[in-house]
Amino acid sequence: TLQDAKSSGLVGERQDGYIGIVKDAPGVAVLVNDINLQRRQLYRDIARKNNIPLNTVERLAADKAINRTPTGEYVQDTTGNWVQKP
């Protein structure tokens, strides 16, 4: 599951509102692609409903996801590097 992959340090929250691979392992790429497709559809729906650009929704979602990420899990910093959230 996504939470298992996050807890194991395999994936993390990116600055663009999607998840990314921190450490590759079997099945991780498929999980990341599936979750990101679901998120992209949700973000598109929100953007259309509120008549705002998709990238605005993505940025807001990224901020929320990174803020909700528990200590010790991975997030992308502003330069694109993976760091464990303090």
Side-chain angles (χ1 to χ4, degrees), residues 42-85:
L42 176 64
Y43 299 163
R44 281 186 190 139
D45 292 345
I46 292 169
R48 280 190 207 117
K49 180 179 176 187
N50 294 288
N51 198 29
I52 56 177
L54 176 61
N55 66 345
T56 300
V57 176
E58 291 169 334
R59 271 197 321 273
L60 292 170
D63 290 344
K64 285 182 181 181
I66 289 170
N67 287 334
R68 286 188 308 222
T69 297
T71 298
E73 290 185 6
Y74 283 89
V75 295
Q76 218 176 28
D77 66 15
T78 55
T79 61
N81 294 314
W82 290 111
V83 295
Q84 280 186 295
K85 189 170 175 185

Side-chain angles (χ1 to χ4, degrees), residues 5 10 23-31:
L10 300 175
K23 297 176 191 163
D24 200 11
V28 172
V30 172
L31 175 68

